């Protein structure tokens, strides 16, 4: 995905960043929660969405925090699907 297209899609999202990792770009966001249980509950809400999309993010769950990393393996970087899934996760995280 061209950088200007990624930048225009990124402004549509709240608190997501584009980071370089392993030779590719990825969307990253850390969701914050009052405790570990609510962090895990968020993961349980986004899991069926990711599964339905056939698009599986990398998730790091810690006390009160879930870090989500999205990128499309087949494209070796970002696609519009990553941004769509990020928006869907945001709706579930609020």
């Amino acid at each position: 995905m061209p950088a200007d297209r990624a930048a225009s899609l990124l402004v549509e999202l709240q608190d997501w960043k584009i980071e370089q990792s392993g030779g590719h770009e990825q969307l990253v966001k850390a969701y914050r929660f009052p405790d570990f249980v609510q962090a895990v509950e968020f993961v349980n809400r986004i899991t069926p969405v990711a599964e339905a999309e056939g698009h599986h993010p990398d998730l790091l769950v810690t006390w009160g925090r879930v870090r989500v990393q999205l990128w499309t393996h087949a494209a070796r970087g970002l696609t519009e699907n990553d941004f769509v899934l990020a928006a869907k996760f945001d709706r579930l995280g609020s």
Side-chain angles (χ1 to χ4, degrees), residues 15-88:
D15 300 324
W16 286 84
K17 299 181 296 185
I18 296 175
E19 293 182 356
Q20 287 286 332
S21 178
H24 60 82
E25 289 186 328
Q26 60 185 7
L27 279 176
V28 177
K29 181 173 181 175
Y31 291 88
R32 305 229 183 257
F33 301 92
D35 55 39
F36 183 74
V37 171
Q38 289 183 50
V40 171
E41 287 172 350
F42 173 67
V43 170
N44 290 336
R45 287 193 307 273
I46 67 172
T47 298
V49 175
E51 187 64 23
E53 296 282 333
H55 196 47
H56 305 100
D58 293 332
L59 304 171
L60 174 63
V61 182
T62 59
W63 193 95
R65 184 173 178 255
V66 177
R67 178 178 162 92
V68 179
Q69 297 168 221
L70 284 166
W71 63 287
T72 301
H73 297 256
R76 295 189 186 111
L78 293 173
T79 67
E80 288 194 27
N81 289 340
D82 299 300
F83 292 87
V84 168
L85 193 55
K88 288 181 179 185

